[in-house]
Amino acid sequence: MRKLSLLLGLVLTLLMGGSLFIGTLPLDLLLQNASVLWELRFPRMLIAVSMGVSLGLTGAVLQGFLRNPLAEPGIMGISSAAALGAVMVIALGLGGSHLFAVPLAGMMGVVGVTFFLYKLMQKHPNPLTLILTGLALNSLLGALMTLILTLSHNPYASLEIIFWLLGSFAHHSLGQVAFVIPLSVAGWIILWRLRFTLETLSLGEEMAIVLGASPKKMYGFLILGMALSLGPLVSLVGVVGFIGLLVPHMLRPFVDHKPADLLLPSALGGGIMALAADMVVRLLSNHIDLKVGVLTSLMGTPFFLYLLLKQPRSSHATF
Amino acid sequence: MDTAVQKGHFMWARVFIFSLFLQAQASIISLDLCADQWVLELVPPRDIFAVTYLAQDPDISFFSEKAIGLKVHKGEIEELLDPAIKSAVAMDNLDPFIKNILEKRGVRIIVLKSPQTLEEVNEQRQFLIKELGLKEKDSNPFPSPPLSRKRAVCYGASGLSPGGKTLLGQALTKAGFENGFKNFKGWKYIDWEKILEADPAVVFLLEGPSKNRHHPFWKRFMKNRREVELPKKVTLCACYSTVNELIETMKKTHHA
Amino acid sequence: MLHFEHLTIGYADRIFIKNFTAHFLPGQLVGILGPNGSGKTTLLKTIAKLTPPTEGRIILGGMPLQAFSEQNLARVRSYIPAELTCAWPLATRHVLEIGRSADHRNWIETLDLGNLLDQTFNTLSSGEKARVLLAHSLMRSPKVILADEITSHLDALYQDKLMDLLRDYTRTGKVGVVVLHQPDLAYEFCDQVFMIEDQKLHLLSKKPPQLKGQILS
């Protein structure tokens, strides 16, 4: 695990440096406008990496927590809540009123859903409740989003909503980044502290309790950590798919399937994948218009299917 | 009492009388916002059976004033079954289900292409005039002005922006600007490094106020440039009058 | 050390054992027998604080069980379920590491697990799993060890060995409660043998309490 993390960390660091030199601006113009590096490429790099880390980490935590390799950070409804808040503000035409209008609205949605999930899971701390509630929340929030789209009289607002939903790391200011990243880091720390619980959970919820995990506490921390890791970032960036499902799945064999040891490599791997995808988007932007979420899904899905089919049956755990 | 309301009542009464006595005349319906624009531009009101409710929204409909007083519909099938309807005008994304039903009822359907260039605007205009048997109106409507050195771009806040071979790009040229995005054709997703490279003196914004303008980079970039918001009613749909208005709007920024 | 006070266990619609009181001293290994569905497993789970009792209470080392936090309780009691599947294809070595065991000692040797360490836990036979889980339990040196049918899938040799081990372990001042299917094993190794029948806990046999190196009256 240590070697793997070191390697992934090294790759990520190299990519972070390299990404500053990727863009469409010719070098002579770049030298005249050095602020492009600091005001455009640097925050873009930071936001891509932290989104990737959040997705990789939350994916690994959630899969370990629910003991289900199909779990994906979106299943709890937190991302949908962020999206709904943001979409509502865009549809009302307030998206341009302030730099923080959209992300703050998204975070209001996240706070609401988190509070609801937290209250519910303190009453019924079990995975089925979490999955079913997430399913219900996702379809409710999805319906509300569709409603907003259909009610919106402004075709440009609808276009903006659709583009926003596709997710993009571009054009976020340093101020926004400085606001969002500390919140995410707080979420990462909370999730990181769930390592022991994840380890014990691999023997089932009952054994986890026997070994000292408290159901109420672990669901509380899970929801809080997920909300902080995902909520602010999704509110700013939009929904970027598939990294949270793919990366933990890909790296699990390298840590001998140990759910706690998966967290760090998965977080780093998520950062690499998000940043690499964004760099590809930028490199190709003169030839083809791609959105980073589209690219991750396009690249990820066939690879994921390949891994799934290649795997020996025994490693499909208990499903 | 408010005169607009009185006028509205009067218009409604007129439509009502027409529908009683001159039913055969009000026989043309338009099925979406852009078809509304064409019909409202070319067809006399007494021949219009109905337009969509969107046509009365002054934000997005160039001919909203003309549409007030006309019968409106919401595109529900049952609204379209009136036997008075003889012709329907729609853009090429018409729902095949609706198309099928109308055709079965013997309604003539005139499908217009969304024009992507000025030439296509003229083509569609001539096409509709011919199809509806209207009187020929003045053609060659877009005279080219002298070219200025000023560079301008149209920029969509969601990033999607028009390049060389687009209606908006051509409108820029007609308005006397050099199109900063002329080196790519069609619509393209633009990030700010590309705008910086294009270095326009004027940026025409397509999509209302955007959060971008609070971004420190954008603020600095726009310091010595002009930012002009184009009204939606002239960028959403293209018929002769909207394009003309679009060009006029762009021209005005030369003087201001 | 382990004390049942007017304990009733089961669920609202299904009571297994009604109103029983018992007391177990350090050094005792307790065997529970009973037909299928009589509530043996539920009894163990109630002692493990995985299921709340319907009535009454359990006192562990002078403190009511309900007052223990999960974390504190984990330090003093362990529980071995009758069946266990790992959610991930973990190697046996890694399963043994789960839960930060303090004491690795020589349980791996004692229970002959050396050649199983690198195999995937889920591919082990039920008997092998039982040995692994017992080792996992003992490594945490619990004061109360609860085991559900760990001998059922073992051959005769290992049955004796495991029971012997459990008895020796409890002799060091711990309490063991084991659910068994084989009465002969219970009579041979356990200090007290109970039978669940008609919602009652019948005491079948009782040996004098013993601690290693000393005899208590």
Side-chain angles (χ1 to χ4, degrees), chain C residues 16-50:
Chain C
F16 290 124
I17 311 173
K18 241 184 193 163
N19 191 18
F20 67 99
T21 299
H23 188 68
F24 305 108
L25 293 171
Q28 283 191 325
L29 183 63
V30 182
I32 310 282
L33 298 169
N36 283 332
S38 58
K40 301 187 295 285
T41 298
T42 309
L43 175 60
L44 272 196
K45 282 191 183 178
T46 312
I47 305 174
K49 204 192 168 194
L50 292 172

Side-chain angles (χ1 to χ4, degrees), chain A residues 156 289, chain B residues 116 160-163 166 168 184-189 206:
Chain A
Y156 279 135
D289 289 337
Chain B
Q116 302 299 319
L160 206 58
S161 308
T166 60
L168 283 155
F184 64 86
K185 293 189 168 42
W187 289 70
K188 187 163 173 54
Y189 183 82
L206 290 184

